Amino acid sequence: MKKITILKYRVEPDRYSQSSKQSYGHEIRSRQKYYEDIEYVCRSCGRKDIYSAFEQKKAYENRKDYICCTRVLCQKCWRNKRNLLKLAHEMEKQYCLNKQVHLNSEKFLREWLHVLCEYKKYSYRFNHQRIRFIERHLEKFT
Ligand SMILES: [Zn+2]
């Protein structure tokens, strides 16, 4: 009979970030010997995904993410969110380089608004004021 080896990822609380070590979650985690895959439902699209033991170890011990942070978005939505955030930063930069030109470009403002509104679908922390500001400036085109 062939032996099947299941990779196990040991919990090494010594490798956690300082703030993780001081958190309440730390005690619970330390009782756990190995990471276990966590099944969850994406907050945005409702799809099921798995936060694997390997990814958890990488996040908490290598990247030093806070141990109470868990996944709420599936891979696809997470990637979308990250791309939208990058795009939003780029547009903000472009706008700052030449405010007058961009405030008079309906195309730019519509694209910018679209990016920010899409981002809003994935995050509770979106730039409220920016959206209002763009909407106000778009009024002159209607
Ligand atoms: Zn999703």
Side-chain angles (χ1 to χ4, degrees), residues 9 59 73 93 96 117:
Y9 297 98
L73 295 177
K93 227 162 76 186
C96 287
C117 288

Side-chain angles (χ1 to χ4, degrees), residues 42-47 73-78 122:
C42 174
R43 190 177 66 191
S44 177
C45 71
R47 254 190 7 179
L73 295 177
C74 68
Q75 290 281 334
K76 199 176 143 231
C77 289
W78 183 78
Y122 301 111

Side-chain angles (χ1 to χ4, degrees), residues 15 18 62 68 98 118 140:
R15 303 186 59 205
Q18 211 46 47
N62 294 2
C68 294
N98 204 334
E118 282 295 301
K140 65 176 175 269

